[in-house]
């Protein structure tokens, strides 16, 4: 997931002014499409790429410099500047290499497509949508990052799964933005009667208000080794109540930075996505769960409380029963 590609560096963005299971369940019917162990979705995107820090001599004296000379080796400064670090070569929007060859890898005995699919996810820079890598680019990137044991025949399935999950994650973000993108009060008007009634309430508001500017994706980052507080809490609950809560941890985590348009101004909103795998379908299709929500900022925390708390309160207070009574008593 998250293997969007940007061949050119986009301009910097404008300054930014609990259910027991994840929120979305998705299946993918691409056969045995589960990512192999070597898939980068299980690894930190830019792990171990930081260049070594410059070290000062442990003693002011040095065999190469006289005691009165400057301890900084000026003679090496030019050669160090000519060799940029690996981290500096990465695209800051997705922490990936800005361009990957479409040519077959040395020794590759299986042909991979070089066509790239365009996603439905608009770029924050405004110049079209994010593009997914081709299977050949994906394979070359895997080799470049050291995953030399990747099965070349499985790469097309890996790309299909990654694209599928990215599209599902964006659909969840768009729905959240539809509800809260115009303010907390409007979000409460949609959420106060529970999740079952929210779609109808949202359609009514959108009909009376007119159009709404669509969100865009500014950048994103894979953080598979950084477990979110919610995922950690679910692990504890699964340990305490294994029969009721899931115990399998998420296999990946992403942070997506989304541009929300409010009264013509852009506000950056960070979304957190936990990716879970579930038991396969009887037909063998793999199943994935996406838990998509805004990060716990003051505004994000209120939005999460309104959405999930409103649903719990509506059911616990008998709102569903009252709604049914009103429907049955109408002439």
């Amino acid at each position: 997931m998250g293997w969007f590609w940007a061949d050119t560096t986009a301009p910097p963005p404008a300054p930014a002014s609990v259910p027991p299971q994840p929120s979305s369940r998705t299946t993918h019917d691409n056969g045995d499409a589960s990512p192999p162990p070597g898939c980068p979705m299980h690894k930190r995107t830019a792990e171990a790429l930081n260049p070594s820090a410059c070290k000062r001599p442990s003693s002011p004296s040095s065999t190469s410099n006289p005691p009165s000379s400057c301890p900084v080796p000026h003679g090496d400064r030019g050669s160090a500047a000519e060799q940029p670090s690996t981290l500096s070569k990465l695209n800051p929007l997705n922490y990936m290499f800005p361009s990957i060859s479409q040519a077959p890898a040395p020794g590759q005995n299986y042909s991979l497509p070089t066509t790239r699919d365009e996603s439905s996810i608009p770029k924050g820079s405004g110049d079209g949508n994010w593009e997914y890598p081709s299977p050949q680019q994906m394979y070359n990137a895997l080799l470049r990052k050291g995953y030399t044991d990747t099965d070349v025949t499985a790469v097309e399935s890996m790309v299909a799964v990654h694209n599928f999950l990215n599209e599902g994650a964006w659909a969840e973000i768009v729905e959240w933005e539809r509800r809260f993108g115009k303010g907390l009060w409007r979000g409460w008007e949609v959420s106060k009667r529970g999740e079952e009634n929210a779609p109808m309430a949202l359609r009514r508001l959108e009909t009376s208000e007119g159009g709404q500017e669509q969100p865009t994706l500014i950048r994103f980052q894979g953080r598979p080794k950084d477990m979110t507080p919610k995922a950690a809490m679910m692990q504890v609950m699964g340990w305490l109540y294994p029969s009721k809560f899931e115990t399998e941890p998420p296999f990946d985590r992403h942070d997506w930075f989304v541009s929300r348009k409010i009264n013509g101004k852009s506000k950056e909103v960070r979304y957190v996505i936990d990716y879970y795998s579930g038991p396969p379908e009887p037909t063998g299709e793999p199943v994935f769960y996406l838990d998509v929500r805004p990060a716990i900022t003051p505004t994000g925390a209120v939005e999460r409380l309104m959405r999930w708390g409103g649903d719990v309160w509506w059911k616990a207070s008998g709102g569903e029963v009252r709604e049914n009574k009103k429907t049955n008593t109408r002439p």
Side-chain angles (χ1 to χ4, degrees):
M1 285 150 302
W3 284 62
F4 303 106
W5 232 269
D7 290 328
T8 57
T9 302
S17 65
V18 288
Q21 291 187 352
S23 61
S24 175
R25 177 179 186 274
T26 58
T27 62
H28 187 68
D29 57 356
N30 199 32
D32 185 15
S34 299
C39 175
M41 69 189 350
H42 302 284
K43 304 293 182 183
R44 186 186 299 275
T45 307
E47 184 180 13
L49 293 181
N50 288 326
S52 300
C54 179
K55 298 181 180 179
R56 293 185 59 185
S58 57
S59 172
S61 62
S62 173
T63 57
S64 59
N65 295 315
S68 61
S69 65
C70 176
V72 179
H74 296 280
D76 297 337
R77 184 176 295 174
S79 60
E82 294 172 1
Q83 298 178 357
S85 67
T86 304
L87 186 61
S88 68
K89 300 176 184 178
L90 300 181
N91 186 337
L93 300 181
N94 56 8
Y95 297 93
M96 292 303 303
F97 297 104
S99 63
I100 296 293
S101 173
Q102 293 273 29
Q108 179 181 332
N109 55 9
Y110 183 85
S111 179
L112 289 172
T114 59
T115 56
R116 299 175 59 182
D117 293 333
E118 183 177 299
S119 75
S120 65
I121 308 173
K123 295 180 182 179
S125 58
D127 57 341
N129 293 354
W130 289 87
E131 284 187 311
Y132 295 118
S134 70
Q136 184 63 62
Q137 284 180 311
M138 173 73 84
Y139 184 60
N140 289 339
L142 291 170
L143 296 180
R144 187 169 176 177
K145 291 172 71 67
Y147 302 102
T148 56
D149 59 342
T150 301
D151 182 3
V152 66
T153 63
V155 173
E156 288 186 72
S157 296
M158 291 168 55
V159 172
V161 170
H162 287 174
N163 299 359
F164 174 73
L165 293 180
N166 279 321
E167 293 294 323
W170 184 248
E172 291 287 328
I173 290 174
V174 169
E175 285 301 309
W176 200 290
E177 288 295 306
R178 286 180 62 199
R179 185 178 302 201
F180 293 100
K182 290 187 175 182
L184 293 176
W185 178 254
R186 181 179 180 276
W188 174 246
E189 287 297 314
V190 178
S191 306
K192 65 182 181 181
R193 296 174 65 248
E195 287 296 294
E196 185 176 349
N197 298 306
M200 183 179 295
L202 185 57
R203 285 195 297 270
R204 289 175 178 172
L205 285 173
E206 288 178 335
T207 301
S208 60
E209 295 170 346
Q212 177 178 345
E213 285 194 72
Q214 294 299 307
T216 58
L217 179 60
I218 302 172
R219 65 187 187 280
F220 57 91
Q221 182 179 12
R223 302 174 60 186
K225 291 187 178 181
D226 298 333
M227 186 173 290
T228 62
K230 182 180 178 182
M233 181 184 68
M234 298 309 301
Q235 292 302 294
V236 173
M237 296 301 292
W239 178 72
L240 295 174
Y241 307 101
S243 60
K244 188 175 181 180
F245 294 93
E246 294 288 341
T247 57
E248 188 71 20
F251 63 81
D252 199 5
R253 170 199 170 168
H254 274 198
D255 286 11
W256 287 21
F257 298 83
V258 174
S259 176
R260 173 184 293 179
K261 304 297 191 301
I262 303 177
N263 297 327
K265 298 182 179 180
S266 296
K267 175 184 178 182
E268 184 176 289
V269 180
R270 179 167 66 96
Y271 278 85
V272 180
I273 309 169
D274 284 324
Y275 297 83
Y276 295 82
S277 58
E281 295 287 339
T283 57
E285 298 172 0
V287 175
F288 302 95
Y289 296 92
L290 307 182
D291 191 1
V292 184
R293 69 276 188 196
I296 301 181
T297 61
T299 302
V302 174
E303 291 178 7
R304 292 164 69 165
L305 180 62
M306 283 184 176
R307 182 163 188 176
W308 294 326
D311 185 62
V312 172
W313 171 253
W314 177 256
K315 295 176 180 177
S317 64
E320 192 171 350
V321 176
R322 294 195 302 271
E323 193 74 13
N324 291 335
K325 286 183 178 179
K326 288 181 181 180
T327 302
N328 295 333
T329 56
R330 288 174 182 171

